[in-house]
């Protein structure tokens, strides 16, 4: 039986988050520069976005550039930023054809002007689409996002627009960049690393974590299906007992 038909469409995650890891090691395996890995990673971005949209996943969030990634060699950072511009310009038509809306989370103010402009243009040009929201985490750090939310909430309280006793999960979530998005039910990380790396820490409180040894450029639709099937075999208890769920 093919993998796709093993997916239970009634138990599809609404939101999948991915840490795309292993581009550099993939390139090294072929004796090529790291940037070659990033370029080939774009194919996996395209394939996983299309497969998620086809299945009916509503939100796909990809960790494209962390705040820590600025520490990489300048050449690699520049290449990644240029690749972002090139990819967004090239893919906007495909996004529209597939009815996918582009979105971003992270501190965009630190991005080079060209990258930020290309991103905002693509977000604007796809804003009418409603089959799936593809979110790119760019210059993103979950701790920064949480600290920023705390700062904004403090300002609301100081201004008398919010009572501290009213700060609950809903209120707090509204101050995160992911407001209006459901929490990811499934988080996938490629390349064998088993870390969360400052990604969606608040939002992943109950996410199922899936780790695969495959390097990101090799990640194909069948690998996505495998992750979803694995997720569907788990029992999500949210602190309850098995008996309470049945
Ligand atoms: C991690 O692999 C990957 C990144 C830091 C960048 C991800 C970027 C892309 C897939 C291409 C551009 C994306 C879009 C959305 C246009 P790594 O370099 O950390 O690999 P390594 O751990 O093997 O060194």
């Amino acid at each position: 039986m093919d993998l796709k038909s093993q997916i239970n469409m009634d138990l599809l995650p609404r939101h999948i988050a991915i840490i795309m890891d292993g581009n550099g090691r993939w390139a090294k395996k072929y004796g090529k520069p790291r940037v070659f890995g990033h370029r080939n990673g774009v194919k996996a971005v395209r394939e996983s976005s299309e497969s998620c949209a086809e299945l009916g996943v509503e939100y796909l969030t990809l960790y494209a550039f962390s705040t820590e990634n600025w520490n990489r060699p300048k050449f690699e950072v520049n290449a990644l930023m240029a690749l972002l511009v090139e990819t967004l310009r090239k893919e906007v038509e495909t996004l529209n054809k597939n009815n996918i809306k582009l979105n971003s989370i992270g501190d965009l103010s630190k991005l080079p002007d060209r990258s930020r402009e290309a991103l905002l243009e693509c977000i604007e040009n796809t804003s009418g689409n409603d089959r799936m929201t593809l979110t790119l985490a760019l210059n993103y750090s979950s701790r920064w996002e949480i600290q920023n939310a705390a700062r904004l909430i403090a300002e609301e309280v100081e201004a008398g627009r919010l009572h501290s006793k009213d700060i609950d999960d809903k209120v707090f979530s509204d101050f995160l960049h992911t407001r209006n998005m459901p929490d990811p039910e499934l988080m996938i990380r490629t390349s064998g690393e088993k870390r969360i790396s400052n990604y969606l820490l608040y939002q992943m409180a109950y996410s199922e974590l899936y780790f695969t040894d495959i390097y990101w450029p090799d990640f194909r639709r069948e690998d996505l299906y495998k992750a979803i099937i694995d997720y569907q075999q788990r029992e999500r208890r949210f602190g309850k007992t098995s008996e309470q769920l049945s």
Side-chain angles (χ1 to χ4, degrees):
M1 199 162 51
D2 74 304
L3 282 168
K4 195 177 178 186
S5 62
Q6 291 176 42
I7 296 175
N8 179 347
M9 291 301 173
D10 296 330
L11 283 181
L12 206 60
R14 289 185 69 199
H15 183 178
I16 298 179
I18 303 184
I19 299 181
M20 312 181 285
D21 199 7
N23 292 352
R25 280 164 285 165
W26 184 89
K28 198 170 176 195
K29 208 171 77 176
Y30 295 100
K32 302 272 192 183
R34 297 176 54 80
V35 173
F36 181 71
H38 298 316
R39 288 203 153 269
N40 280 275
V42 175
K43 290 185 198 161
V45 169
R46 195 180 300 124
E47 191 160 327
S48 37
S49 307
E50 285 183 7
S51 322
C52 278
E54 277 164 25
L55 282 172
V57 172
E58 293 167 66
Y59 298 88
L60 174 65
T61 301
L62 304 176
Y63 209 170
F65 196 88
S66 73
T67 45
E68 290 78 20
N69 286 151
W70 295 113
N71 297 324
R72 293 191 172 199
K74 201 168 178 340
F75 171 77
E76 185 176 343
V77 171
N78 290 344
L80 271 168
M81 290 298 152
L83 184 60
L84 179 72
V85 175
E86 181 190 320
T87 307
L88 291 171
R89 297 248 151 93
K90 235 197 285 186
E91 299 296 331
V92 65
E93 256 179 64
T94 318
L95 289 172
N96 280 328
K97 207 173 77 203
N98 286 294
N99 196 8
I100 298 173
K101 185 202 297 232
L102 190 78
N103 177 37
S104 75
I105 54 174
D107 181 5
L108 301 187
S109 69
K110 304 277 183 339
L111 294 186
D113 292 346
R114 259 170 63 81
S115 309
R116 190 178 47 256
E117 282 156 18
L119 179 73
L120 294 176
E121 206 178 294
C122 193
I123 289 176
E124 171 67 26
N125 287 338
T126 60
S127 61
N129 300 335
D130 60 6
R131 180 152 73 137
M132 185 181 86
T133 301
L134 171 64
T135 300
L136 299 182
L138 282 164
N139 189 28
Y140 177 82
S141 145
S142 192
R143 285 188 173 178
W144 174 84
E145 182 191 32
I146 293 169
Q147 288 152 10
N148 193 52
R151 237 182 328 267
L152 295 171
I153 290 172
E155 281 169 19
E156 290 300 296
V157 173
E158 274 170 23
R161 289 189 291 266
L162 183 68
H163 288 295
S164 57
K165 64 173 170 37
D166 292 332
I167 302 169
D168 58 9
D169 200 18
K170 166 83 179 73
V171 169
F172 199 88
S173 299
D174 278 347
F175 286 89
L176 296 172
H177 282 193
T178 48
R179 63 187 149 270
N180 302 326
M181 287 162 73
D183 288 341
E185 295 94 333
L186 170 63
M187 195 286 291
I188 300 170
R189 182 172 190 152
T190 57
S191 90
E193 307 293 346
K194 297 185 177 66
R195 289 187 293 277
I196 310 267
S197 299
N198 210 354
Y199 191 41
L200 302 171
L201 300 179
Y202 190 87
Q203 298 87 337
M204 286 210 277
Y206 289 102
S207 302
E208 294 294 332
L209 309 181
Y210 179 87
F211 300 101
T212 170
D213 287 341
I214 293 167
Y215 291 148
W216 178 249
D218 285 333
F219 192 80
R220 295 280 82 90
R221 58 180 67 229
E222 289 74 23
D223 301 305
L224 176 82
Y225 298 157
K226 276 187 207 159
I228 295 175
I229 292 164
D230 188 279
Y231 155 82
Q232 292 185 332
Q233 282 158 358
R234 302 186 193 181
E235 183 182 62
R236 306 190 70 218
R237 293 212 301 265
F238 302 98
K240 295 182 179 164
T241 67
S242 288
E243 292 71 26
Q244 283 176 301
L245 294 174
S246 55

